[in-house]
Amino acid sequence: MPQTNPFRMAVDIGMILAFTLTAFFALFSATTPALTDAVSLAPAGPHPVSIAGKGVVNTEPDIATAVIGMEVLRPTVKEAVSAAQTVVTDVWDALHARNIAASDIRISHFNIYAEPFGSDGLRNEDEMHYHASNTIFITIRDLDSIDAVLDAAIDAGASNIYSVNFTLPDPAADDSETHTRAGPHLRQN
C-alpha cells in the first residue's frame, strides 16, 4: 500500500471543508450580514435612472423649401442690376399669386460680376458684359402646389431651381411623440 503524505492530506481536507462551508452558506443563508450592512448604508428615497436609446417616428413632411435663382447678362452694371431687380419683382409677384406668403420668401443673396469672355474669347474693356444673379429661398406649405409654384417662378423669369427639400415645421413635436411612444415608464428629468 502506498504511503500518503500527511501534508497533502491536510491540504485536501482543508479544501473540501472550505468548499462545503461556502456551498452551505450560499444555499442556506437568506441574507449575509455584509450585504445587509451595505444596503442599509444607501440613502432612502427615489434614485434617478438614465436611459439612452433610439426611437423612430415615421411622419410625412409638412412643408417644402425651394432654392431658386435668376440670372441676367447686360452690357452695363446699371442695366444688369435693373434687369435683375425686375426679374426678382416678377418672380415675387408670381409667388404671391400662388399663395406664398411674403414671410415665406427670402432673398438670400445678390451677386454681380464682369463677364470678360464672349464667344470669340476675351472681350475688350468697352465690350464688357455684367452678370447679375439673385437667389431666393421659398417655403411652400401646400405640398400639392409645388409644381405650380416652381412653374410660376420659371415663367416669371427664374432661370434655376437649385434644390427642393422636404421637412417638418416643428421637428421637436416628433421628438416629443417619440418619447411618448417609448412608454409611460420613461420619465424625462
Side-chain angles (χ1 to χ4, degrees), residues 66-70 88 92 104-111 133-138 162:
V67 181
I68 62 172
M70 50 231 59
V88 166
W92 190 282
D104 288 337
I105 305 170
R106 296 174 308 283
I107 296 177
S108 169
H109 67 272
F110 173 75
N111 188 19
S133 64
N134 282 307
T135 303
I136 295 180
F137 286 88
I138 307 165
Y162 296 115

Side-chain angles (χ1 to χ4, degrees), residues 13-61:
I13 291 173
M15 288 180 62
I16 291 171
L17 184 59
F19 177 76
T20 304
L21 288 174
T22 303
F24 177 76
F25 282 114
L27 292 174
F28 297 109
S29 175
T31 59
T32 58
L35 203 48
T36 304
D37 290 343
V39 171
S40 66
L41 293 177
H47 302 286
V49 175
S50 297
I51 298 173
K54 181 178 180 180
V56 176
V57 173
N58 293 319
T59 59
E60 294 291 323

Side-chain angles (χ1 to χ4, degrees), residues 73-159:
L73 185 64
R74 298 292 187 270
T76 67
V77 171
K78 184 177 181 178
E79 290 174 308
V81 169
S82 177
Q85 183 59 44
T86 299
V87 172
V88 166
T89 301
D90 291 346
V91 169
W92 190 282
D93 291 342
L95 294 172
H96 278 282
R98 285 286 170 192
N99 297 321
I100 303 296
S103 61
D104 288 337
I105 305 170
R106 296 174 308 283
I107 296 177
S108 169
H109 67 272
F110 173 75
N111 188 19
I112 188 162
Y113 62 91
E115 185 74 43
F117 295 98
S119 58
D120 298 332
L122 189 60
R123 294 183 173 138
N124 291 330
E125 199 169 303
D126 60 336
E127 298 175 331
M128 191 69 66
H129 283 80
Y130 294 89
H131 181 94
S133 64
N134 282 307
T135 303
I136 295 180
F137 286 88
I138 307 165
T139 300
I140 304 169
R141 298 187 186 281
D142 177 11
L143 295 183
D144 293 332
S145 71
I146 292 173
D147 294 344
V149 168
L150 296 177
D151 283 342
I154 295 296
D155 290 345
S159 51

